[in-house]
């Protein structure tokens, strides 16, 4: 998984946590005023935009206390390093299809916002100025069918053509409603929510939150009008008549429209309910909601900052005993703390790497055909960039011989063909070229003695047997017969990069009696 894809998934998870908290808070505040719930959604929109920024803030990594790095395999000597360090170009980063889909959705929503801005500019060019509503510019246009407010820095109220023939009271109520939008800076907060929808367009909860903000925003403006002394049923009648004459209409994304038929029922119910809390949000309550949002936002954002701070990187080169690189070696990293595994395949230059893996205690198991499995223990701390070069030892070879005897006649056992190990890379394993078959001891046959003799020997650079010894508990006669035969064996020596080297071999002889 590339870093951008991981960031998108991480932000989606954190946005879910934030939105879930906002839905729970507004549910708990269902009997509070619409202004209070509107502020919750406004703060949520701002928090959604702040999440990606706060998530990048580095936090102190957790201390491992007494944990220290355990000894690891020695690196190659400088002479070896000079001969094998090969520059390898960094492969170009591939863009994940998830990132491409996200970018396409983001650009689509942004394009919708830009189209809305262009449409509002086009409407404004042909609109006619009417009597100003206080310090706010008020325009009339035959290109809109509903009252709306737009403009972040210079808010403008836009009324449909024919508004001058409305009843005076209706026009007064409409202007009062739109002025509350201006006072609440709803155009600016609408822009914040729309940008949040662009960033998290794939998240259904974001669009639901945008809808909840719209409903609470209009209800807060309705409450602001009623606080002027207007009766709820009277205002509801004018609102219903306005929607009836408008019918279905669309609005630019950055405009704040008064009459939305889809939300009319809930607004009318609230207007006619005398028990609804219509209080204006105090400064203390506003500060409390913002503080509560910060208490939820920063821990959520810190989760990502902490996760980023506990990543580490380890890389190195895999060598053989001669100092040459071992290509295509398999490196398996096991996180002992989380019980997870990471895998890497060494390149043609023997290089391996684990990038941006969680910090912790690891074992690194390096394997390649013809070599022993090498295990290293390492501790990666936060933001570590460790280098660990691995030197692989040649793997053991083994032979297994079965010696068959008959009662009571002594007979030379027939040995099976030698077992040749699978090798790879620059290793050519030793091959048994001549052998002497062991003889079943007569005394052991007479006494019915059977058993297995396990021998360990060193094959010299000339192919002879060195340091032959019995490594298990076996009958003395059987062990003597086995060692006598093996001492006369001869191998083609093991070659490492074309040069003969000494290797350890294990030979198993099974002495069995048949009727």
């Amino acid at each position: 998984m590339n870093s951008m894809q991981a960031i998108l998934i991480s932000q989606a998870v954190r946005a879910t946590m934030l939105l879930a908290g906002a839905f729970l808070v507004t549910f708990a505040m269902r009997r509070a005023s619409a202004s209070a719930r509107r502020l919750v959604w406004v703060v949520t929109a701002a928090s959604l935009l702040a999440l990606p920024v706060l998530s990048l803030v580095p936090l102190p990594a957790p201390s491992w206390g007494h944990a220290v790095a355990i000894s690891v395999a020695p690196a190659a000597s400088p002479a070896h390093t000079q001969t094998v360090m090969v520059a390898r170009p960094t492969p170009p980063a591939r863009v994940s299809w998830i990132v491409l889909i996200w970018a396409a959705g983001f650009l689509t929503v942004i394009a919708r916002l830009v189209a809305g801005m262009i449409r509002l500019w086009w409407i404004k060019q042909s609109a006619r100025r009417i009597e100003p509503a206080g310090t706010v510019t008020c325009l009339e246009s035959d290109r809109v069918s509903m009252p709306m407010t737009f403009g972040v820095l210079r808010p403008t109220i836009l009324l449909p053509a024919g508004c001058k023939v409305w009843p005076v009271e209706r026009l007064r109520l409409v202007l009062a409603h739109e002025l509350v939008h201006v006072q609440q800076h709803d155009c600016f907060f609408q822009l914040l929510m729309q940008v949040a929808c662009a960033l998290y367009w794939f998240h259904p909860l974001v669009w639901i939150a945008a809808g909840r903000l719209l409903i609470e925003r209009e209800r807060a403006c309705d409450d602001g009008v009623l606080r002027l002394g207007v009766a709820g049923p009277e205002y509801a009648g004018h609102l219903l008549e306005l929607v009836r004459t408008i019918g279905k209409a669309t609005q630019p994304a950055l405009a704040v429209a008064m009459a939305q038929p889809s939300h009319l029922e809930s607004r009318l119910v609230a207007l006619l309910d005398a028990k609804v809390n219509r209080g204006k949000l105090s400064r203390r309550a506003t500060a409390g909601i913002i503080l509560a949002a910060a208490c939820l936002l920063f821990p959520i954002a810190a989760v990502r900052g902490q996760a980023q701070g506990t990543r580490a990187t380890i890389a190195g080169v895999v060598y053989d005993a001669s100092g040459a690189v071992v290509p295509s070696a398999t490196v398996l990293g096991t996180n002992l703390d989380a019980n997870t595994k990471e895998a890497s395949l060494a390149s043609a230059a023997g290089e391996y790497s684990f990038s941006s893996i969680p910090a912790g205690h690891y074992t690194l198991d390096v394997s390649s055909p013809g070599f022993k499995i090498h295990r290293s223990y390492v501790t990666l701390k936060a933001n570590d960039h460790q280098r660990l070069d691995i030197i692989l030892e040649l793997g053991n070879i083994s032979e297994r011989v079965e010696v068959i005897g008959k009662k009571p006649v002594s007979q030379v056992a027939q040995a099976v063909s030698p077992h040749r190990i699978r090798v790879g890379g620059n290793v050519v394993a030793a091959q048994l070229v001549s052998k002497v078959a062991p003889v079943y001891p007569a005394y052991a046959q007479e006494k019915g003695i059977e058993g297995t003799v396990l021998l360990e020997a060193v094959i010299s650079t000339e192919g002879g047997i060195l340091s032959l010894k019995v490594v298990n508990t076996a009958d003395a006669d059987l062990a003597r017969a086995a060692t006598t035969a093996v001492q006369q064996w001869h191998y083609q020596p093991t070659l490492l990069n074309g040069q003969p080297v000494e290797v350890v071999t294990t030979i198993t002889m099974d002495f069995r009696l048949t009727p």
Side-chain angles (χ1 to χ4, degrees), residues 289-430:
I289 292 176
I290 295 176
L291 180 60
C295 292
L296 178 65
L297 172 64
F298 281 96
I300 292 176
V303 172
R304 174 170 171 76
Q306 185 71 18
Q308 285 185 328
T310 58
R311 314 298 284 188
T313 298
I314 184 169
V317 179
V318 182
Y319 299 98
D320 62 23
S322 70
V325 299
V326 179
S328 304
T330 300
V331 185
L332 181 65
T334 303
N335 188 321
L336 301 178
D337 303 319
N339 196 26
T340 58
K341 295 182 183 296
E342 306 282 348
S344 176
L345 187 66
S347 68
E351 301 171 348
Y352 75 93
S353 66
F354 294 101
S355 300
S356 189
I357 59 176
H361 301 78
Y362 284 84
T363 60
L364 292 185
D365 293 319
V366 185
S367 60
S368 182
F371 295 93
K372 293 180 181 179
I373 296 178
H374 179 96
R375 169 165 289 188
S376 298
Y377 295 87
V378 295
T379 295
L380 296 178
K381 297 182 179 180
N383 302 317
D384 265 359
H385 294 276
Q386 287 195 25
R387 178 179 179 85
L388 175 62
D389 293 339
I390 305 295
I391 299 178
L392 296 181
E393 297 180 8
L394 290 174
N396 292 346
I397 62 174
S398 63
E399 305 287 344
R400 188 178 188 94
V401 178
E402 187 175 27
V403 184
I404 305 297
K406 290 186 177 181
K407 296 180 180 179
V409 181
S410 177
Q411 181 177 347
V412 176
Q414 299 296 321
V416 297
S417 300
H419 174 68
R420 187 180 307 168
I421 65 169
R422 179 187 176 193
V423 298
N426 294 321
V427 179
V428 179

Side-chain angles (χ1 to χ4, degrees), residues 101-364:
I101 293 176
W102 172 83
F106 173 79
L107 293 176
T108 300
V109 179
I110 292 297
R112 176 173 171 267
L113 293 181
V114 173
M117 295 174 62
I118 295 174
R119 181 184 172 192
L120 288 172
W121 176 84
W122 176 69
I123 292 174
K124 186 177 181 180
Q125 296 306 306
S126 60
R128 301 174 295 277
R129 182 181 293 271
I130 60 177
E131 181 181 353
T135 59
V136 180
T137 302
C138 189
L139 303 177
E140 177 189 25
S141 175
D142 54 4
R143 294 176 178 175
V144 297
S145 59
M146 69 176 71
M148 63 181 64
T149 300
F150 66 92
V152 174
L153 299 178
R154 296 181 180 179
T156 300
I157 297 175
L158 188 61
L159 301 178
C163 62
K164 293 182 180 179
V165 302
W166 288 351
V168 176
E169 184 65 14
R170 180 180 304 170
L171 181 58
R172 184 179 76 87
L173 295 178
V174 168
L175 290 176
H177 181 98
E178 297 303 325
L179 283 174
V180 176
H181 279 308
V182 175
Q183 294 170 0
Q184 295 181 158
H185 305 285
D186 283 335
C187 291
F188 173 70
F189 296 128
Q190 172 77 357
L191 175 62
L192 288 186
M193 181 57 83
Q194 289 300 309
V195 175
C197 288
L199 285 175
Y200 302 92
W201 63 265
F202 54 87
H203 205 308
L205 290 182
V206 175
W207 296 99
I208 297 175
R212 295 307 305 174
L213 172 61
L214 189 154
I215 294 174
E216 301 299 349
R217 180 185 69 203
E218 295 304 320
R219 289 185 59 180
C221 289
D222 292 341
D223 292 342
V225 174
L226 295 186
R227 285 196 298 269
L228 298 176
V230 180
E234 178 186 357
Y235 181 63
H238 283 291
L239 182 61
L240 182 61
E241 182 63 22
L242 188 62
V243 172
R244 187 187 65 80
T245 56
I246 290 174
K248 293 183 178 181
T250 59
Q251 68 173 93
L254 295 180
V256 178
M258 173 184 176
Q260 287 286 350
S262 59
H263 307 135
L264 180 62
E265 182 178 355
S266 63
R267 292 174 64 185
L268 292 177
V269 171
L271 288 172
L272 298 176
D273 189 352
K275 298 180 180 179
V276 171
N277 184 349
R278 308 188 192 281
K280 186 177 181 181
L281 204 60
S282 65
R283 291 184 177 180
R284 178 177 295 181
T286 301
I289 292 176
I290 295 176
L291 180 60
C295 292
L296 178 65
L297 172 64
F298 281 96
I300 292 176
V303 172
R304 174 170 171 76
Q306 185 71 18
Q308 285 185 328
T310 58
R311 314 298 284 188
T313 298
I314 184 169
V317 179
V318 182
Y319 299 98
D320 62 23
S322 70
V325 299
V326 179
S328 304
T330 300
V331 185
L332 181 65
T334 303
N335 188 321
L336 301 178
D337 303 319
N339 196 26
T340 58
K341 295 182 183 296
E342 306 282 348
S344 176
L345 187 66
S347 68
E351 301 171 348
Y352 75 93
S353 66
F354 294 101
S355 300
S356 189
I357 59 176
H361 301 78
Y362 284 84
T363 60
L364 292 185

Side-chain angles (χ1 to χ4, degrees), residues 440-454:
Y440 211 120
Y443 178 78
Q445 293 190 68
E446 293 174 0
K447 296 297 183 179
I449 298 175
E450 296 180 320
T452 298
V453 179
L454 186 62

Side-chain angles (χ1 to χ4, degrees), residues 50-67:
L51 260 182
V53 178
L54 294 178
S55 298
L56 298 176
V57 176
L59 297 178
S63 174
W64 288 106
H66 62 278

